[in-house]
Amino acid sequence: MDLIKDLTAKLSAVAEEFNGRVAHAADPAPTSTEPSETDLVEQAQAVLAERRLRRRFLPSELFHEPAWDMMLALFVSRDERQPMNIKALVSMSDAPVTTSQRWIEHLHKLRLIDRVIDPTDRRRVEISLSYDGEQAMRGYLRALLLR
């Protein structure tokens, strides 16, 4: 029964991703003045590095945005094709585990991330940006580069 639930959850995530891509298939192709994928990833890495640098000089509670840190980390990990599990994502958020888990749940409810249970180790949950989450991050990073 649990296997059926897992498969149903995975198929639902795949269907959501497919529907999102189909809905945006008619979006115009980027022009040559648009930032490349590499540019976007480098911008995300730079934003993460800046956030970490601030923590070296100022109290970390001044800049406590675990959800934002997670979204940036997921964008970078997607490009590096590194699966991100909950434990790794929590470590990127620089927040207590319970706080990070609440943010993961909230990001999932907002449909910015997808969660998939690992079929070989049911305790492990892989996290990735959803289509909408990825598009939002691309839009933001693109806007940073084009300003």
Side-chain angles (χ1 to χ4, degrees), residues 1 11 28-29 66 93 107:
M1 193 61 156
L11 285 172
S93 72
L107 290 169

Side-chain angles (χ1 to χ4, degrees), residues 2 7 89 120 124 132 137 145:
D2 288 336
L7 289 173
L89 194 54
T120 58
R124 186 178 169 100
D132 291 342
M137 292 301 294
L145 288 168

Side-chain angles (χ1 to χ4, degrees), residues 29-42:
T31 62
S32 60
T33 60
E34 287 288 313
S36 69
E37 184 67 21
T38 301
D39 294 335
L40 296 177
V41 171
E42 287 174 356

